[in-house]
Amino acid sequence: MIRRVVISGIGAVTPLGNDAQASWKASLEGVSGIDYIKSFDVAAFDTRFAGELKDFDPLNFMDRKEAKRTDRFIQLAVAASKMAVADAGLEAVDRADAERFGVIIGSGIGGIETHETQHSRFLQSGPGRISPFYVPMMISDMAAGYVSIVVGAKGPNFCTVSACASGGHAIGLAFRSIKYGESDLMLAGGTEGSITPMCLGGFNACKALSVRNDDPKGASRPFDKTRDGFVLGDGAGILLLEEYEHARARGAQIYAEISGVGMTADSYHITAPPPEGDGAQRAMRLAMQESGLNPEDVDYINAHGTSTEHNDVVETIAIKNVFGAHARNGLVISSTKSMTGHLLGAAGGVEAIFSALSLKYGLIPPTINYRYPDPECDLDYCPNQAREKPLRAVLSNSFGFGGHNITLALKKV
């Protein structure tokens, strides 16, 4: 039996706010969460800004001992998951529900901050000074594992690691778990705590980041002619997915229905997309096919939109090829990365939340910093101001290094 899957709870920590609603409100206002990095000395780096979190305190979600024994990416996942569970009204989970309640949380990089700290300790003082918590603090699966303990979920439990598609893949697999009867409830999304010296330096080394140090808030400018790279961001976005009848039976609120998923590989290059965006095209088509959607049924795409030279052109080409005339006649596209920066493995989770809220409220967040149109990026990117528009269906795109592509299709309920 194939079942319907809805979103009944959301939780997020982003550079725009320490919960989903604050982040959503800031996105509609066109606020930039990007600023100069304050957590470490960036004088020697080509890029000196990022989307850091503002006043996030893990002690609001765990005790001091737990906080000392968890990396930032785990803390963010716990915070967003607890908020999603509370938002869904699941104050207590009985045993029957617990065994059909799973957790899939993606992370592209995992506990890189812990790794850097412990490696420095190893070099300075030898292996005897490595923390006994080093491994469980660092490994990428521990966000999902830790959250399952915190919320009492005993169903499917694992981590997706597919670079910037990690959060989207987690949601897609959670959707399938419920759709085909394996579970009734799933926490799914992504988390990342990657604003560290090694990550910043590594992305600088591969020339992926913007170096617009004189204008941090204007640095993430997807689809703009003068874009010069993406901007790192930290955060987490977690959704509570639920089988439709299960949600109705307990009177749960419903934000949107997840109706289809498309997962593909480029099989082309480790970091660059193919010129025609073949993998992205197939992901969007597969998501719509599973949803029973025609191209003209889709009103909005929350684009991957990284503000890099190649992604923005290739994603535009892919959208044109998939949607034909509709791409220029009624379809609205925007990149919320213009405000949050690129949250890597957490991006798909946060952007799925924004997509669901867009459907629920009929509001589209803008692509800010869009000042100089690029002839190769010539669609409606909802520039600089949010837009009110009744929405029936939306797509959320996530593409990752390694050629990983996933599109989520959401419908209004």
Side-chain angles (χ1 to χ4, degrees), residues 142-215:
M142 199 52 69
Y146 206 96
V147 166
S148 74
I149 296 168
V150 169
V151 303
K154 297 184 178 182
N157 181 249
F158 57 94
C159 170
T160 49
V161 182
S162 48
C164 309
S166 300
H169 274 129
I171 296 166
L173 293 173
F175 159 76
R176 294 273 168 83
S177 179
I178 296 174
K179 179 175 180 176
Y180 294 113
E182 183 181 39
S183 56
D184 296 322
L185 298 158
M186 295 290 295
L187 279 170
T191 185
E192 209 78 87
S194 61
I195 301 175
T196 70
M198 283 295 291
C199 269
L200 186 68
F203 281 118
N204 269 156
C206 65
K207 307 298 182 184
L209 297 181
S210 170
V211 292
R212 200 179 293 274
N213 291 305
D214 60 338
D215 182 21

Side-chain angles (χ1 to χ4, degrees), residues 22-178:
S23 299
W24 170 244
K25 181 175 183 292
S27 77
L28 294 178
E29 293 171 354
V31 173
S32 171
I34 314 303
D35 209 336
Y36 293 109
I37 292 171
K38 299 178 176 64
S39 55
F40 57 92
D41 185 358
V42 293
F45 291 82
D46 293 337
T47 297
R48 298 190 284 277
F49 54 89
E52 290 187 305
L53 304 177
K54 282 76 174 175
D55 303 316
F56 172 75
D57 186 353
L59 300 184
N60 291 328
F61 303 94
M62 58 179 62
D63 65 32
R64 194 171 301 278
K65 181 185 289 187
E66 289 178 300
K68 288 182 68 175
R69 295 177 176 179
T70 51
D71 187 270
R72 183 166 25 136
F73 88 107
I74 300 172
Q75 295 169 0
L76 296 174
V78 169
S81 296
K82 282 189 169 183
M83 287 188 276
V85 168
D87 186 49
L90 287 172
E91 295 180 2
V93 179
D94 62 30
R95 181 173 178 177
D97 268 346
E99 293 178 358
R100 294 184 59 78
F101 184 4
V103 181
I104 307 175
I105 298 177
S107 182
I109 295 178
I112 185 68
E113 185 175 51
T114 292
H115 178 69
E116 291 182 30
T117 301
Q118 294 299 316
H119 186 251
S120 294
R121 184 179 292 183
F122 164 72
L123 292 178
Q124 293 166 7
S125 305
R129 299 301 298 166
I130 296 174
S131 168
F133 297 100
Y134 164 60
V135 171
M137 289 174 71
M138 176 196 68
I139 52 180
S140 296
D141 71 296
M142 199 52 69
Y146 206 96
V147 166
S148 74
I149 296 168
V150 169
V151 303
K154 297 184 178 182
N157 181 249
F158 57 94
C159 170
T160 49
V161 182
S162 48
C164 309
S166 300
H169 274 129
I171 296 166
L173 293 173
F175 159 76
R176 294 273 168 83
S177 179
I178 296 174

Side-chain angles (χ1 to χ4, degrees), residues 382-406:
C382 195
N384 303 313
Q385 287 190 325
R387 189 177 306 172
E388 188 171 354
K389 177 182 172 72
L391 302 176
R392 300 163 295 168
V394 307
L395 302 184
S396 181
N397 286 338
S398 295
F399 312 137
F401 279 5
H404 314 296
N405 308 296
I406 180 159

Side-chain angles (χ1 to χ4, degrees), residues 223 273 304-316 399:
F223 306 108
H304 188 54
T306 56
S307 185
T308 57
E309 178 183 354
H310 294 300
N311 173 88
D312 296 2
V313 171
V314 170
E315 189 169 10
T316 297
F399 312 137

Side-chain angles (χ1 to χ4, degrees), residues 6-19:
V6 297
I7 300 165
S8 58
I10 55 175
V13 183
T14 81
L16 296 177
N18 288 331
D19 60 61

Side-chain angles (χ1 to χ4, degrees), residues 315-351:
E315 189 169 10
T316 297
I317 292 170
I319 290 169
K320 289 178 182 177
N321 284 331
V322 169
F323 289 92
H326 182 55
R328 299 182 185 277
N329 184 28
L331 181 63
V332 184
I333 301 148
S334 76
S335 173
T336 46
K337 288 184 180 74
S338 60
M339 296 172 280
T340 63
H342 194 343
L343 276 58
L344 306 182
V350 170
E351 290 160 15

